[in-house]
């Protein structure tokens, strides 16, 4: 479930900040992660996309419990 935190526009760049929560299907563990998406445009065309997030925030949710291995 993504949640929009903020949007900043400057010249040819758009910065989108958000948070996502959910549950990993394979482990059934919940996760929560903040992220930033950076879009750069050249005229009307998208020429670059960059997404940044901390994988350390979500990696425990993808790790199975030892008992279920």
């Amino acid at each position: 479930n993504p949640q929009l935190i903020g949007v900043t526009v400057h010249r040819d760049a758009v910065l989108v900040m958000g948070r996502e929560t959910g549950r990993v299907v394979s482990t059934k563990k919940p996760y929560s992660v903040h992220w930033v998406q950076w879009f750069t445009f050249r005229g009307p065309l998208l020429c670059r996309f960059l997404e940044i997030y901390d994988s350390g925030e979500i990696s425990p949710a993808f790790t199975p419990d030892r008992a279920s291995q």
Side-chain angles (χ1 to χ4, degrees):
N1 300 331
Q3 301 167 338
L4 185 62
I5 294 174
V7 176
T8 300
V9 178
H10 181 70
R11 297 184 186 166
D12 62 351
V14 178
L15 190 67
V16 181
M17 296 153 284
R19 178 175 179 229
E20 183 176 331
T21 59
R23 188 171 297 274
V24 176
V25 174
S26 61
T27 63
K28 299 179 179 56
K29 292 181 179 180
Y31 69 88
S32 176
V33 63
H34 287 86
W35 48 262
V36 174
Q37 295 176 337
W38 180 0
F39 301 85
T40 305
F41 293 88
R42 186 171 296 135
L45 302 176
L46 177 65
C47 65
R48 185 188 319 179
F49 170 77
L50 176 66
E51 181 173 43
I52 302 168
Y53 65 93
D54 181 0
S55 60
E57 285 187 76
I58 61 173
S59 62
F62 285 90
T63 306
D65 291 328
R66 290 190 179 265
S68 63
Q69 290 181 346

